[in-house]
Amino acid sequence: MSQLLQMFLSRHELLSSRFYSKVYRTHSRIIKCMSTHRVLDPEGFTTKSQASAFGTEVLGYIEKLHALGVPVSPIGDTNLFIISDPQTGKPSVMLDVPDGGTSVEEVMEYADEKHIRVLAEAMIGAFLPLLYQNPLQETWGAVGIDAIPSNFALAEGHMTYIDFTPPRYFSS
């Protein structure tokens, strides 16, 4: 990642850091920087063209979820960049999306039992379209999600699915 980008992101809230990604909140946007998964080699990407192919898969995944009716960030407001670290040359994929709100996982930490149930029902409502999809569609195979609270966000009573790494990417 370029020094300028690192400096910019260091001034914003780091929401999470995982094996292969860091997620930042900048004003009304979320920026997710994804690199090669250090545990599940060789499934990651090592070249800019491979990173670009992965980025295309991410955008395709968002489009598929949207087409099925899963509430996701608007694809028109989603930006994707392929960047390289100037020192190592290693590529990263940077996804820039509108802020979907507060993580449902975070909300659940402070919610009572009644509100946890309401949140769980809203999450199920958000991914219910996946349960009705026809896995034999000609345009794509069945689409899945990682339905855990940290992959959903809540803003003004609206639930949004926010994990855009296709689940099959880091699984065998």
Side-chain angles (χ1 to χ4, degrees):
M1 196 178 336
S2 77
Q3 289 178 342
L4 180 63
L5 180 58
Q6 285 177 342
M7 191 170 58
F8 171 77
L9 292 175
S10 71
R11 296 173 187 257
H12 292 86
E13 179 186 5
L14 176 65
L15 297 177
S16 72
S17 182
R18 310 254 189 225
F19 286 115
Y20 67 95
S21 69
K22 291 186 182 213
V23 180
Y24 300 87
R25 176 174 280 132
T26 64
H27 308 293
S28 62
R29 310 286 298 174
I30 298 294
I31 296 176
K32 183 174 185 177
C33 299
M34 299 169 275
S35 58
T36 298
H37 195 290
R38 68 176 185 251
V39 175
L40 297 176
D41 212 23
E43 289 192 35
F45 45 84
T46 56
T47 66
K48 265 192 153 176
S49 61
Q50 291 171 340
S52 179
F54 172 70
T56 299
E57 285 187 41
V58 167
L59 290 176
Y61 179 62
I62 297 169
E63 290 170 344
K64 291 171 188 177
L65 290 173
H66 174 73
L68 288 169
V70 175
V72 294
S73 296
I75 193 73
D77 276 344
T78 298
N79 302 299
L80 184 87
F81 305 94
I82 309 302
I83 56 176
S84 291
D85 185 306
Q87 279 84 28
T88 66
K90 290 185 179 183
S92 293
V93 175
M94 192 171 86
L95 187 66
D96 165 36
V97 297
D99 190 344
T102 305
S103 165
V104 170
E105 179 180 52
E106 189 178 316
V107 174
M108 284 183 160
E109 285 181 32
Y110 303 102
D112 59 28
E113 188 175 324
K114 176 185 171 187
H115 290 101
I116 288 175
R117 182 179 196 88
V118 170
L119 289 167
E121 288 172 356
M123 284 174 48
I124 291 168
F127 70 77
L128 199 57
L130 295 175
L131 301 178
Y132 293 110
Q133 68 181 306
N134 179 359
L136 303 175
Q137 288 176 312
E138 293 180 23
T139 53
W140 66 72
V143 179
I145 64 169
D146 185 7
I148 59 174
S150 62
N151 288 340
F152 291 87
L154 188 64
E156 299 175 11
H158 181 73
M159 183 74 64
T160 303
Y161 183 69
I162 57 172
D163 182 22
F164 301 129
T165 307
R168 64 170 183 74
Y169 186 72
F170 293 120
S171 69
S172 57

